[in-house]
Amino acid sequence: MNDNLHQLRCFGCGDRIAGSDARPDFRCVHCGDLFEVEYAGWNQRKGHDRPNAGALKWLWRERRSSSEVLDQSGVWRFRELLPILDSFGNAVTLREGNTPLYPLLRTAKALGMDQLFAKHQGMNPTGSFKDTGMTAALSVARERGFEWVACASTGNTSAAMAAYAARAGLRSLVLIPEGKIAWGKLSQAMDYGAVTCQLKTDFDGCVSVLTEIVQRAPIYLLNSVNPYRLEGQKTPALEIAEAFDWMVPDHLIVPGGNLANSSALGKGFRELHELGLVARMPRISVIQAEGANPLARSFRLNQGKAMEPVEAHTRATAIRIGNPASWRKAAKTIQETAGWCLDVTETEIAIAKAELGAEGLGCEPASAVTLAGLKKLRAENKIAGSESVVLVLTGHTLKDADYTIDFHRGTLLTDREKAGYEAELDQLRRNAVVVDATPAAVLAALEGSAG
Ligand SMILES: *Cc1c(COP(=O)(O)O)cnc(C)c1O
Ligand SMILES: [Zn+2]
């Protein structure tokens, strides 16, 4: 490891250690908190190792037309801001990142907004933002000579890990909660050759088991407690800043599960700001599902100073997490950017997902909390119509096709959940109809839908 360029700093007590000295569970020996990657050269030897802002902006854009493998990755294109490897030749990449930023014209109009965008992280190689983190952390595992990697997952982490491990020729172990993950994700882990164990517990239970395993066997832990994952996951912040010509949007809205992604995006913008590449950070808000809302509760009760775990229930499986590991990092991001943390109901999530679908941008249920949250923030006048807002869509719609089909068939939500929303739901639902194989029958169906 390139211990000269980076070190790990404990988020709780501030202790600094070399990257290679971290415990297998990535917890601080003194206080049990998580680490953050820190690059000493950026502030301690000012002027010397500190990257030059103008030169970097030029270099990163130039790389977009390069045919070099590393340059084609939307993560490693920014490698000056993540010097975590001894040799970038050890990087394992599937050309992740460089995801599209789509304007949401109809939704913006409906909400009385001028500038609304979706950063679609579901357009990554395995269909979620987890790829950006996995390319970083799995490359570290390879460089350190590990033969096995492992994660506990609600689905997308395992899909990403299994794919990157397979590319690198490493073996992978996946622990998932039995019966509580979307089939699209489980099928990916199998396809990419992971050893997959479904445990009779929830996500948080899988994490406890895995934490024991990595202390007993030489297996590299790739859950988001691994600080190198956040280094990859911060790069969408760089892409967004670049897309806005380094002016940064006013507000970024991110789903919150284990809360690593919001933390990573906060770190990305914070570093851009510290290095003088952007003039300010955007406001960053985190949205959780009502049934898996420990951080939203904590913000209601004590402004994010303390958090009580909950037992998590939501159909948005990617954010069904009751005891999020990175909550302190996420709370810091929300506090320092004056963002909000709220929760939204299952009905609000389902409607928002269908609305994004109707704009031609499918996404996972977990991603749709961003639009549901935006609608709430607009209704409470916490976001002005003139602000530029980016919703981070975290996963691809095909990850959980069952959810979408159930919604359009009308079987997703209970009667109680539908109450008060019947008209809205009717307007959004597009169920497939069975008709006779004649032009007349199809034309009649057309007429029916137009009315
Ligand atoms: C992992 C994931 C999330 C939650 O991200 P955290 O870093 O756990 O907060 C949200 N949406 C999708 C699609 C995910 O895969
Ligand atoms: Zn500590």
Side-chain angles (χ1 to χ4, degrees):
M1 288 303 300
N2 202 333
D3 287 338
N4 298 326
L5 279 179
H6 88 273
Q7 57 197 355
L8 302 181
R9 180 180 180 277
C10 173
F11 198 79
C13 70
D15 190 34
R16 290 188 169 84
I17 61 170
S20 45
D21 288 344
R23 276 192 346 194
D25 66 352
F26 292 105
R27 294 278 175 179
C28 173
V29 282
H30 306 296
C31 73
D33 210 334
L34 303 180
F35 286 95
E36 246 187 349
V37 179
E38 186 181 67
Y39 304 100
W42 290 1
N43 40 42
Q44 287 170 11
R45 280 167 288 161
K46 253 194 179 125
H48 180 60
D49 280 347
R50 191 185 161 97
N52 174 290
L56 283 179
K57 290 176 185 175
W58 178 86
L59 180 64
W60 294 339
R61 186 150 294 182
E62 206 59 14
R63 284 184 183 146
R64 296 210 66 168
S65 55
S66 161
S67 54
E68 290 291 325
V69 169
L70 275 193
D71 294 347
Q72 289 183 357
S73 158
V75 171
W76 299 108
R77 179 160 78 85
F78 299 106
R79 52 193 174 270
E80 287 73 18
L81 291 204
L82 53 150
I84 54 176
L85 299 174
D86 260 345
S87 161
F88 286 117
N90 287 322
V92 183
T93 174
L94 284 164
R95 319 295 190 275
E96 53 289 321
N98 292 326
T99 54
L101 182 72
Y102 298 114
L104 288 171
L105 300 177
R106 269 168 277 168
T107 308
K109 196 165 169 219
L111 294 175
M113 300 180 65
D114 300 331
Q115 299 180 69
L116 178 61
F117 301 87
K119 175 71 173 164
H120 207 326
Q121 294 294 97
M123 300 303 191
N124 271 294
T126 76
S128 84
F129 74 81
K130 302 295 198 301
D131 292 342
T132 58
M134 209 46 80
T135 186
L138 193 125
S139 300
V140 171
R142 168 151 98 173
E143 190 166 82
R144 290 191 188 172
F146 280 89
E147 285 167 20
W148 278 88
V149 293
C151 71
S153 174
T154 61
N156 282 334
T157 299
S158 54
M161 179 188 75
Y164 283 83
R167 293 300 293 173
L170 305 186
R171 301 295 313 278
S172 63
L173 167 69
V174 169
L175 302 189
I176 52 171
E178 191 195 13
K180 288 178 188 166
I181 97 163
W183 293 119
K185 306 176 186 182
L186 182 56
S187 72
Q188 286 179 292
M190 293 170 166
D191 205 19
Y192 305 137
V195 175
T196 304
C197 301
Q198 292 192 267
L199 304 192
K200 293 190 173 73
T201 177
D202 56 8
F203 170 80
D204 302 292
C206 291
V207 170
S208 330
V209 171
L210 189 56
T211 304
E212 289 252 337
I213 291 176
V214 294
Q215 313 206 43
R216 293 196 203 167
I219 301 178
Y220 192 69
L221 180 64
L222 284 173
N223 270 60
S224 59
V225 295
N226 181 318
Y228 299 108
R229 272 195 42 204
L230 275 67
E231 293 308 288
Q233 285 174 204
K234 77 186 180 186
T235 57
L238 282 52
E239 290 182 6
I240 291 169
E242 183 184 59
F244 278 81
D245 219 5
W246 307 101
M247 303 292 284
V248 312
D250 294 314
H251 204 138
L252 196 73
I253 304 183
V254 190
N258 217 8
L259 296 167
N261 196 34
S262 38
S263 307
L265 294 169
K267 187 173 194 279
F269 280 112
R270 187 180 308 126
E271 289 176 354
L272 287 180
H273 187 219
E274 283 167 3
L275 291 170
L277 278 91
V278 299
R280 61 182 172 91
M281 289 178 74
R283 211 186 269 270
I284 298 178
S285 291
V286 173
I287 317 295
Q288 297 195 297
E290 191 182 58
N293 65 351
L295 193 68
R297 271 179 198 229
S298 141
F299 269 82
R300 272 199 290 274
L301 293 173
N302 56 54
Q303 286 81 49
K305 288 191 197 80
M307 189 203 75
E308 281 293 318
V310 302
E311 199 186 303
H313 300 280
T314 168
R315 295 183 185 90
T317 51
I319 52 174
R320 188 186 295 182
I321 293 172
N323 189 14
S326 297
W327 75 269
R328 278 199 187 81
K329 293 183 182 179
K332 173 185 167 178
T333 291
I334 296 166
Q335 287 154 356
E336 78 176 319
T337 65
W340 285 282
C341 185
L342 356 150
D343 53 4
V344 292
T345 66
E346 294 294 300
T347 314
E348 290 167 334
I349 296 171
I351 289 175
K353 180 174 142 45
E355 287 170 340
L356 287 163
E359 285 241 29
L361 299 179
C363 65
E364 267 198 65
S367 311
V369 301
T370 55
L371 175 56
L374 170 66
K375 287 161 75 175
K376 252 184 146 164
L377 289 168
R378 274 295 284 154
E380 294 169 12
N381 253 321
K382 287 177 171 155
I383 292 185
S386 57
E387 283 180 57
S388 52
V389 177
V390 175
L391 308 179
V392 178
L393 302 185
T394 44
H396 197 281
T397 183
L398 292 178
K399 289 280 192 174
D400 194 352
D402 284 344
Y403 181 102
T404 310
I405 289 177
D406 289 346
F407 175 83
H408 289 285
R409 284 190 178 143
T411 56
L412 181 76
L413 302 169
T414 63
D415 287 343
R416 184 196 281 236
E417 287 169 329
K418 287 179 188 165
Y421 292 94
E422 289 87 353
E424 228 173 316
L425 290 167
D426 268 356
Q427 218 180 0
L428 286 164
R429 279 180 48 203
R430 292 281 179 274
N431 199 5
V433 288
V434 180
V435 297
D436 286 340
T438 65
V442 175
L443 288 171
L446 252 189
E447 222 154 85
S449 91

